[in-house]
Amino acid sequence: LYNSLNMSKFVTNKVYLRGILLHYFIQKKSAAEAHRILVQTYGDNALSDTTCRDWFRRFKNNDFELEDKERSGAPKKFQDKELEQLLDIVRKTKYPWLEAGDRYRLQLMRLSRALKEKRPLYAQRHDKVILLHDNARPHVAKPVKTYLETLKWEVLPHPLYSPDIAPSDFHLFRSMAHGLADRRFHSYEEAQKWIDSWIASKDMSFFQRGIHVLPERWEKVVESDGKYFH
């Protein structure tokens, strides 16, 4: 099975093993327990006890970046696309540490990292992040809920089947639909290129409008007694 899935080159990958450590950290296991499981599973290829403890310290400090820190001017050795490919391959082996919400949790990790990089004062001021997402299964998966608790982000309640109060639905996708009218794509790459270009063409005020109108939308939901409106 390993040969058919080319797992032999992944099982000793440092990022892969760190992902397993993160899984056990979220499950509230100790670094010693995680190290013992790795040794039982991977033998000499397992991370050392000291390394496991170091990574658990990082996780406790809300540092969930699994890749090695880049040196100045050095190229990134492990791209997000490669990490997602790794996750896809491991999913096929039905490893229990990868669940439905892992891909979404990875996106949240990137978002948290981007906030720290692009808004350095955010971490210093301990500003609260308010997150609004719907009740799609990946969003409410246990690993995602646990990770959001470690971030201490406030998650707004979102009633089932309520596109009226999702900015992506009532603002972003509605505007995008106008741009897509009568447009035809002949490949996935062509569609992706158009979407990237369309998003890049919007200035900050476009996205701010979608957020700022949210309180008004919530009031309409209450006034309409939960019924849909346009």
Side-chain angles (χ1 to χ4, degrees):
L1 177 60
Y2 284 153
N3 289 335
S4 64
L5 292 175
N6 293 322
M7 284 299 297
S8 59
K9 65 180 180 180
F10 284 112
V11 292
T12 57
N13 185 288
K14 292 187 296 184
V15 176
Y16 168 79
L17 294 175
R18 292 165 187 170
I20 296 177
L21 283 182
L22 177 58
H23 167 71
Y24 289 134
F25 172 79
I26 291 174
Q27 287 192 332
K28 301 188 183 304
K29 293 185 181 296
S30 67
E33 288 178 299
H35 175 253
R36 184 167 58 253
I37 295 172
L38 287 181
V39 171
Q40 291 173 349
T41 306
Y42 300 105
D44 294 339
N45 293 319
L47 300 174
S48 69
D49 179 71
T50 300
T51 300
C52 291
R53 294 179 188 277
D54 288 342
W55 279 97
F56 265 61
R57 276 194 289 271
R58 290 194 189 190
F59 298 152
K60 289 177 181 178
N61 290 325
N62 288 332
D63 181 359
F64 300 102
E65 174 57 65
L66 301 180
E67 304 167 27
D68 291 323
K69 302 295 184 182
E70 293 183 52
R71 296 179 180 177
S72 178
K76 189 174 182 180
K77 295 181 179 180
F78 202 82
Q79 300 293 336
D80 289 334
K81 183 178 181 181
E82 293 175 308
L83 181 55
E84 292 209 22
Q85 289 174 345
L86 171 61
L87 292 178
D88 287 338
I89 291 176
V90 177
R91 280 192 185 90
K92 293 177 182 177
T93 69
K94 299 182 180 179
Y95 273 60
W97 66 278
L98 282 172
E99 299 172 290
D102 276 327
R103 185 179 295 275
Y104 185 57
R105 183 174 58 182
L106 177 61
Q107 293 175 339
L108 292 175
M109 288 179 181
R110 293 176 186 155
L111 176 58
S112 177
R113 180 179 61 193
L115 279 173
K116 293 176 182 177
E117 292 176 351
K118 297 181 179 181
R119 298 189 178 182
L121 294 179
Y122 151 75
Q124 297 177 17
R125 296 197 306 253
H126 302 287
D127 287 350
K128 179 184 291 186
V129 174
I130 300 176
L131 177 67
L132 172 63
H133 58 189
D134 60 23
N135 295 293
R137 184 170 296 179
H139 299 175
V140 296
K142 185 176 180 180
V144 171
K145 288 184 175 180
T146 304
Y147 178 61
L148 287 172
E149 289 175 1
T150 65
L151 292 177
K152 295 181 172 58
W153 290 3
E154 179 182 351
V155 180
L156 295 178
H158 192 282
L160 293 173
Y161 312 112
S162 302
D164 296 324
I165 55 173
S168 57
D169 287 311
F170 70 72
H171 182 68
L172 178 65
F173 295 151
R174 180 174 295 179
S175 177
M176 184 180 291
H178 291 298
L180 286 169
D182 299 324
R183 187 176 294 274
R184 298 290 182 271
F185 302 107
H186 299 91
S187 67
Y188 172 83
E189 290 74 18
E190 185 180 346
Q192 185 178 37
K193 183 178 180 180
W194 183 90
I195 292 173
D196 290 343
S197 176
W198 184 87
I199 292 177
S201 70
K202 302 300 179 183
D203 58 21
M204 186 179 297
S205 62
F206 170 80
F207 298 99
Q208 288 176 335
R209 285 197 300 274
I211 299 298
H212 291 165
V213 77
L214 186 57
E216 178 184 340
R217 304 285 298 191
W218 277 40
E219 289 181 1
K220 286 186 177 181
V221 169
V222 174
E223 293 172 357
S224 65
D225 196 25
K227 297 178 182 178
Y228 290 111
F229 57 85
H230 300 287

